[in-house]
Amino acid sequence: MQGFINQLPKLAKDKHNENKKFFTKLKKKPPKKLDQMMQNFHDEEFKRTDCLECANCCKTTGPLFTDKDVERIAKHLKMKLGQFESQYLRRDEDNDLVLQETPCAFLGADNYCSIYDVRPKACGEYPHTNRKKFQQISDLTLKNVAICPAAYNIVEKMKASIDLEHKSNRRV
């Protein structure tokens, strides 16, 4: 797994133009059952992928923290909101609350999250490959395929499936 994780940035870079063209077409004319298709790809991939073997998302990127996330996590840690924010978070260029640094301070050496039950919403939804109207988050997905092996595999499977679907439609 680690070998694949190490290769991901290069693999994603090599596929970037292809993926960008694919997502541009997908936005213009998404298949009728894209959401269901993506849910199936997501479910299949996460039967094979164990996030605890990887945790690359926690090691290399950080989620956006909503106000509700901050309140929930601070309460869980028995900290005041201001104390939690000053110790763990910063405002980025878009004025969003993000982690001060990566890897995530809540990630253990065993790849377990010490705040898993109260983790940020964005962490629970990552890599967003089962999100409704998936075609609308192509920029985010292009970033995620360089970080998450599952996202990379899901996008590759999606491209092959949709290409096959279009080829079979042309033959009819």
Side-chain angles (χ1 to χ4, degrees), residues 20-52:
K20 198 163 175 79
K21 285 179 191 172
F22 178 81
F23 280 116
T24 299
K25 288 178 185 175
L26 190 68
K27 275 184 183 178
K28 289 179 183 168
K29 193 169 195 250
K32 284 187 174 90
K33 295 188 178 181
L34 180 63
D35 288 345
Q36 185 58 49
M37 186 186 305
M38 292 309 297
Q39 185 66 57
N40 292 341
F41 291 149
H42 179 90
D43 292 346
E44 285 173 26
E45 182 61 34
F46 280 99
K47 285 178 187 171
R48 291 188 299 272
T49 301
D50 180 0
C51 293
L52 291 173

Side-chain angles (χ1 to χ4, degrees), residues 68-127:
K68 285 185 180 182
D69 292 334
V70 173
E71 290 170 20
R72 185 177 61 254
I73 298 166
K75 181 178 178 184
H76 174 79
L77 296 173
K78 296 177 175 51
M79 295 174 83
K80 292 185 191 279
L81 293 177
Q83 180 189 6
F84 175 77
E85 285 186 32
S86 66
Q87 187 169 340
Y88 295 106
L89 306 177
R90 66 177 175 82
R91 294 260 175 207
D92 69 6
E93 58 280 353
D94 298 322
N95 205 32
D96 292 319
L97 281 172
V98 296
L99 289 170
Q100 287 180 10
E101 56 189 42
T102 55
C104 178
F106 303 107
L107 180 68
D110 56 1
N111 287 345
Y112 277 86
C113 173
S114 64
I115 59 166
Y116 186 82
D117 291 337
V118 294
R119 69 194 183 279
K121 183 178 182 230
C123 294
E125 294 175 352
Y126 193 83

